[in-house]
Amino acid sequence: MDWQWWNTVSNIALIINIILAAFMVIFGKKDATSLWAWLMVLFFLPVLGFFLYLLLGRSAGKKEWSNNTLPSIGGMLECQKESFADNRLFLPDSLPGQLRSLVGMLLKNDDSALSQENKVSVYTDGQEKFEALFDDIQAAKQHIHLQYYIVREDRLGSQLRDLLIQKAKEGVKVLFLYDGFGSRKIGRKFFSELHRQGGEAKSSFPIVSSLLKLRLNFRNHRKLAVIDGRVGYMGGFNVGDEYLGQNEALGYWRDTHLRMEGISVHLLQERFILDWTKANRDNGINFDDSYFPDPASDGDVPLQIVSSGPDARGGEILHGFIKIIQEAEDYIYIQSPYFIPTPGFLASLRVAALSDVDVRIMIPNKPDHPFVYPVTFSFVAEMMRAGAKIYIYEHGFLHAKSMVVDDKVSSVGTSNVDMRSAELNFELNTFIYHRRFAQEMKEIFHKDMASSTQLTEETYNDRSFYQKAKESVFRLLSPLL
């Protein structure tokens, strides 16, 4: 009797699995690689695999999160599109001619306006970055807009919150947007005093509502700050003591972050207002000219700020990366904590390496996500066999997300070289067309090389059987990581 009962249950589970697999194939709208990975999960975890798919594998509703522009940016954007189509868009001397198509692609497909005459400073040390940010917040007179994926309830997080409370008491309008999953450890009382003083802190994709809506896999990974519409920050640093190198397990935290002045700050402001309004539909930000003051920058750096996420057309930052790689003639330097590229990115980078372009990839020497690191190692080894040089950063944890090519173009932002950043996360990157800045980024990479070891065929082949097995198994799941 027990055997008959078990046989019946097994048959029912098999039928359910077949139905669910058909559902994924017909309605899932996944690429073949991702679809096969999910089918494998369904095969090994019958029924449970489908609930995991509902929670972690569904696509976002683009209509619900449509990406609109604000009046202050929309006029400039449409003018630039028309000028580019008629070959009238002014491109500065610092912008190489072969990158014109990259500018046009990002302008047309991501509504990324070309901003010129900006001042841009780069920070690679958390202490220096937060000292500069705190100084700018201290000087704020009108508003402070902050957005971070992770905010910790620790010394740095408390220091930032207390400074925001002080500014709110002074009458400065303070808005803080954080991701519900990345900042899930924040207690309910952490921002209570800020709220009492008139500031606001809101969660993007709160965990409870994300679970109820089966959208736990979507995360707002952007990190930016706008102070009085005149100074902006964006890049890889989150808010927590580990970003100051105070986590013993990870050690020194090596990241890349930008400080900006100029029209580029207006573009960051637009991004924040859109994200805040999407996360708080009942309490959005009304358009106000005071958020977009006349820029006072005398800089000379042209750039585009590019957003991507499951709400957009798809892969805007990724397409920018691939276009840069395809235009490379001399070198490509990439830093990323995770290297799990999409097939298109991997193919383009392999072709560059096989074409004698000097491809160098730098990754950390330790994982902060144990499932991801073995897959990263597998992919960098593939690039090594194609002729790329692979560097393992040894001086702490490398969290930088940057690329520099041919002393011509650089990209710094929140997007990792992985499938999650390409397809699931809401990301933000700056594409910078400036020779002097690119040379600075190249020098930073060379400096980091002095704190790195180069991966060789010999050291890679010397891995233990356990390490090799993990890489082989986890790589099968790479589309889901």
Side-chain angles (χ1 to χ4, degrees), residues 129-138 144-168 174-178 183 186 190-191 193-194 201 223-227 233 237-241 243-244 257:
K129 179 260 177 177
F130 282 103
E131 284 179 1
L133 176 63
F134 285 4
D135 286 344
D136 286 324
I137 290 176
Q138 191 69 257
I144 300 165
H145 294 163
L146 300 177
Q147 180 174 349
Y148 284 95
Y149 174 62
I150 294 175
V151 182
R152 303 286 191 206
E153 195 169 344
D154 56 15
R155 188 188 64 81
L156 181 64
S158 299
Q159 184 180 356
L160 174 59
R161 178 209 53 196
D162 293 345
L163 179 57
L164 296 177
I165 291 172
Q166 172 194 327
K167 298 306 294 185
V174 176
L175 300 179
F176 199 134
L177 183 65
Y178 57 91
S183 303
I186 289 182
F190 185 70
F191 285 115
E193 181 61 23
L194 176 63
K223 302 107 177 164
L224 66 89
V226 177
I227 297 95
Y233 289 80
F237 282 107
N238 287 294
V239 180
D241 289 347
Y243 303 100
L244 301 179
H257 219 89

Side-chain angles (χ1 to χ4, degrees), residues 114-120 260-267 295 297-304 434 436:
L114 177 64
S115 169
Q116 305 184 49
E117 299 180 352
N118 298 289
K119 279 186 177 180
V120 181
M260 305 178 186
E261 296 179 64
I263 290 293
S264 58
V265 181
H266 291 190
L267 305 179
S297 170
D298 57 354
D300 63 346
V301 178
L303 58 84
Q304 287 174 287
H434 195 268
R436 190 170 64 249

Side-chain angles (χ1 to χ4, degrees), residues 8 65 69 157 170 178 187 243 289 300 321 336 371 420 442 455 459:
T8 301
W65 293 329
T69 56
E170 296 174 6
Y178 57 91
Y243 303 100
D289 285 337
D300 63 346
F321 288 165
S336 179
F371 295 105
R420 167 167 290 281
K442 181 174 68 173
L455 182 66
T459 55

Side-chain angles (χ1 to χ4, degrees), residues 358-377:
D358 181 12
V359 176
R360 305 186 187 190
I361 303 167
M362 189 176 294
I363 62 172
N365 72 337
K366 62 190 74 175
D368 65 339
H369 296 290
F371 295 105
V372 174
Y373 197 68
V375 186
T376 288
F377 236 72

Side-chain angles (χ1 to χ4, degrees), residues 325 345-355 359 382-383 385-387:
I325 291 169
F345 186 103
L346 182 64
S348 297
L349 199 59
R350 287 187 77 253
V351 168
L354 293 169
S355 303
V359 176
E382 182 174 340
M383 284 304 308
R385 289 189 287 268

Side-chain angles (χ1 to χ4, degrees), residues 27-46:
F27 300 106
K29 297 181 180 180
K30 296 284 184 184
D31 63 82
T33 304
S34 179
L35 177 60
W36 277 112
W38 275 112
L39 289 174
M40 186 171 65
V41 170
L42 185 60
F43 176 80
F44 286 107
L45 298 173

